[in-house]
Amino acid sequence: MAVYLLAFFAYMAEWLFGSRSKVARTAAALTGGDRKSAAAPVTVRSAREGGSTAVLERPEVITRSASGTRDLPDGPGAAGGDAQGDLYGRIAISLTVLAWGIEAAGVVTRALSVQRAPWGNMYEFNITFTTVVVGVYLALLALRKNVRWMGLPLVTVVLLDLGLAVTVLYTASDQLVPALHSYWLWIHVSTAIFCGAVFYVGAVATLLYLFRERYESKLAAGLKPGSFATSVMERLPASASLDKFAYRVNAAVFPLWTFTIIAGAIWAGDAWGRYWGWDPKEVWSFITWVAYACYLHARATAGWKGRKAAYLALVAFGCWLFNYYGVNIFVTGKHSYAGV
């Protein structure tokens, strides 16, 4: 947690010390002039050298539009296209990689200490879940995806999740009940954790899309947002890009969530002699599946895009979140082991 906390401060520095003047010039390029200049791909290059802050040369930005959306270029990222901000961002990523390695080693040592998969209670599930969430983020960075803007909200939630794990949910190492001694534990729970991590990434993108879309709407209406909103929103990808990213992430992992439910049913048949018993965890897993299915169906057939689809995606993630925390903590069922 200490290393994640250092990464959190580095991400904050990336946002705070990035060149605001650079962002202001980018905003002027996007909103000023005629519609043709705003809709075309924009190239913003270094405008000044020397002084207290150097400005990075920004490559050409390609607009990403969708039906019913505004054609706007993506923002320059959390660093604001600034060398100083970029340095803090690189430090933040390095600290995130270090923290991820330490946490992953902790998950492995927990597994070795009990000679089983480290997913027997909520504490073990939490530390594994946060490890996978950060792993997904780092994998996207390794694939050169434009997701560094996600670093600050991601590390913030990871710190909160780990704090909850070590203060409220901590459970000493112990052996599993007989029903859990199965190779399906590795299959079913590992896919559930991975799906939750990807759903979380999609939810962050969806939430930021709502803020960015509202900001773009204000600009289109001729309103002038505050300086803080301008500094933050203009660094993010365009709302159309965030919308596409969230949709693709959720659509890509949905088949794996379907497999997770099927694998759980097969395991239930082996452990309890029935494939489906309307246990609270089973019910909310199915509700989550239905919610994401409705979201994807609305996007694919009804043509839902924008805010309506975003709200539905957040409702679906809320169902997953309740299934993750609420069912385990507040509801008693066959999936309740080791207290939590």
Side-chain angles (χ1 to χ4, degrees):
M1 287 187 65
V3 183
Y4 275 128
L5 185 61
L6 292 175
F8 169 81
F9 287 127
Y11 281 118
M12 285 289 293
E14 179 184 19
W15 282 92
L16 292 173
F17 296 109
S19 174
R20 296 196 177 194
S21 60
K22 177 72 172 181
V23 174
R25 288 198 303 274
T26 305
L30 299 183
T31 58
D34 57 9
R35 288 178 57 86
K36 182 178 179 181
S37 64
V42 176
T43 302
V44 182
R45 299 191 180 279
S46 178
R48 57 190 170 90
E49 295 293 340
S52 59
T53 305
V55 179
L56 294 177
E57 181 176 336
R58 182 183 169 191
E60 181 176 324
V61 180
I62 301 174
T63 60
R64 300 170 182 170
S65 61
S67 177
T69 61
R70 290 171 288 273
D71 293 336
L72 289 173
D74 290 340
D82 176 76
Q84 184 182 22
D86 183 68
L87 174 62
Y88 284 115
R90 292 176 182 276
I91 293 172
I93 293 173
S94 299
L95 290 170
T96 303
V97 171
L98 176 60
W100 177 81
I102 295 172
E103 187 179 15
V107 173
V108 172
T109 54
R110 176 82 173 196
L112 293 175
S113 69
V114 291
Q115 296 295 307
R116 59 169 173 80
W119 309 315
N121 50 63
M122 278 294 290
Y123 168 74
E124 295 175 352
F125 195 94
N126 263 38
I127 61 174
T128 306
F129 172 72
T130 53
T131 303
V132 176
V133 167
V134 177
V136 170
Y137 167 68
L138 294 177
L140 290 173
L141 285 176
L143 294 172
R144 299 185 180 277
K145 301 298 182 181
N146 178 25
V147 294
R148 209 161 90 181
W149 43 267
M150 191 180 293
L152 181 58
L154 180 138
V155 170
T156 301
V157 173
V158 166
L159 281 170
L160 293 173
D161 209 26
L162 288 177
L164 181 65
V166 299
T167 58
V168 178
L169 301 176
Y170 180 77
T171 304
S173 300
D174 200 358
Q175 294 303 314
L176 300 175
V177 297
L180 293 183
H181 285 287
S182 171
Y183 59 88
W184 283 106
L185 174 65
W186 292 91
I187 300 172
H188 171 64
V189 182
S190 64
T191 54
I193 293 172
F194 179 77
C195 289
V198 178
F199 282 148
Y200 168 74
V201 170
V204 171
T206 301
L207 192 61
L208 292 177
Y209 158 78
L210 290 173
F211 287 109
R212 171 77 188 201
E213 196 277 336
R214 184 176 295 276
Y215 175 78
E216 292 178 4
S217 297
K218 287 183 178 180
L219 292 180
L223 301 177
K224 184 179 180 181
S227 59
F228 176 77
T230 300
S231 177
V232 173
M233 291 296 110
E234 287 297 339
R235 305 189 200 194
L236 295 176
S239 62
S241 297
L242 291 169
D243 187 43
K244 285 182 179 181
F245 176 78
Y247 171 67
R248 289 171 179 173
V249 164
N250 289 327
V253 80
F254 180 73
L256 189 60
W257 182 250
T258 305
F259 170 78
T260 301
I261 296 176
I262 295 173
I266 296 173
W267 186 14
D270 290 342
W272 301 320
R274 90 296 186 274
Y275 293 102
W276 194 267
W278 299 104
D279 183 74
K281 179 70 72 172
E282 296 170 347
V283 171
W284 277 96
S285 295
F286 180 67
I287 291 174
T288 302
W289 184 90
V290 170
Y292 274 107
C294 290
Y295 163 73
L296 296 175
H297 180 74
R299 291 282 306 231
T301 61
W304 278 26
K305 290 181 175 64
R307 301 188 72 85
K308 291 192 298 184
Y311 290 139
L312 188 53
L314 290 180
V315 168
F317 181 71
C319 293
W320 183 90
L321 206 59
F322 181 78
N323 189 35
Y324 177 26
Y325 282 112
V327 172
N328 286 62
I329 297 174
F330 303 113
V331 182
T332 301
K334 284 184 174 293
H335 285 78
S336 300
Y337 300 106
V340 287

